[in-house]
Amino acid sequence: MKAVLLNALQAARAAKTPVALVTALTGGAQALVFHDRVDGTLPDAVVAEARRRLRDNAGGTVEHGDARYFVDCHNPPLRIVVVGAVHISQTLVPMAAIAGYEVIVIDPRASFATADRFPNVQLVDDWPDEAMEALAPDNRTAVVTLTHDPKLDDPALEIALKSDAFYIACLGSRRTHARRLDRLRELGFDDATLARIHGPAGLPIGAVSPAEIALSILAELTAVLHEAPAVAKAA
């Protein structure tokens, strides 16, 4: 590997920037494929496939014409930032951990965010906007707000909507969500930006219990991550 390319790869990994190292299996030419640029020269079809594989964290061999390429994905860990140490969080957190996510729970209410209720989980007791600023959500981060309290959920959403978070979701009824959108519009967010919010959170599977709701959220999050065909919300 050329020194310039190696340095760029190391810099991307240090900055937790997703990047794919693509190597031509004949000749050994290499390039780095980022979400928004390519360092090197590759056919457009190979770049597109490398980005798809980077999104899915699925390296492997790509064939294009008579040439073959190997895609090596370098992704930071997937994260879920959960706002609200509530009952649904207690089931969502272990499910997400099993699915391979780094999980962070934000809740300034000390009686909610305890190690007894959330063992082996990173708990942050700062106010949600301060915590979110420090966590700096990126395109490998999902943000889920579960408190039903605008004083906690809205500040987190303000930061999330200004970030590259790949999934943003909020618990609550359609009426609650409509009021939430009105508040965010008053803060200057346009409808295109607000459309990034999945609300009510989760796929419409008839979920009732906290575990079922957590399952529906994780299922929707997974569908968004992998750009699976959308499942329409119940009317």
Side-chain angles (χ1 to χ4, degrees):
M1 181 184 297
K2 294 181 178 179
V4 172
L5 208 65
L6 176 60
N7 291 338
L9 176 60
Q10 291 177 328
R13 294 184 63 178
K16 296 186 176 181
T17 301
V19 59
L21 173 64
V22 182
T23 304
L25 296 181
T26 300
Q30 293 182 308
L32 295 178
V33 177
F34 295 86
H35 174 70
D36 57 354
R37 75 178 197 276
V38 178
D39 289 357
T41 302
L42 290 170
D44 290 345
V46 176
V47 171
E49 178 63 12
R51 285 179 173 150
R52 185 192 70 78
R53 288 175 173 271
L54 185 61
R55 181 197 71 205
D56 294 340
N57 202 36
T61 303
V62 175
E63 295 187 4
H64 178 69
D66 295 330
R68 298 171 72 234
Y69 302 83
F70 186 79
V71 179
D72 184 16
C73 299
H74 296 264
N75 273 313
L78 284 165
R79 297 187 298 173
I80 298 180
V81 178
V82 178
V83 179
V86 297
H87 290 311
I88 294 172
S89 306
Q90 287 181 283
T91 52
L92 177 60
V93 164
M95 287 181 186
I98 291 170
Y101 288 82
E102 175 188 349
V103 187
I104 302 99
V105 177
I106 300 172
D107 201 318
R109 300 169 297 184
S111 60
F112 284 74
T114 66
D116 288 340
R117 299 182 73 229
F118 295 91
N120 304 314
V121 175
Q122 181 180 347
L123 300 173
V124 180
D125 60 4
D126 294 331
W127 202 254
D129 55 345
E130 297 174 356
M132 290 284 290
E133 287 278 12
L135 291 169
D138 55 22
N139 61 6
R140 298 277 291 171
T141 305
V143 178
V144 182
T145 69
L146 301 175
T147 74
H148 291 289
D149 186 343
K151 297 191 300 297
L152 298 177
D153 287 354
D154 289 6
L157 289 172
E158 286 187 64
I159 306 302
L161 288 170
K162 295 175 183 176
S163 77
D164 292 329
F166 75 87
Y167 177 78
I168 303 171
C170 306
L171 194 66
S173 67
R174 294 183 181 278
R175 182 176 300 177
T176 297
H177 189 58
R179 291 197 294 267
R180 177 186 297 119
L181 295 181
D182 286 341
R183 293 194 302 271
L184 292 169
R185 287 189 187 97
E186 291 177 0
L187 294 174
F189 292 102
D190 59 26
D191 287 344
T193 301
L194 296 177
R196 296 178 59 199
I197 302 176
H198 295 262
L203 295 181
I205 60 174
V208 176
S209 70
E212 291 173 341
I213 294 170
L215 178 64
S216 75
I217 293 171
L218 190 58
E220 182 178 60
L221 183 158
T222 303
V224 172
L225 173 66
H226 297 299
E227 297 182 3
V231 178
K233 294 284 187 181

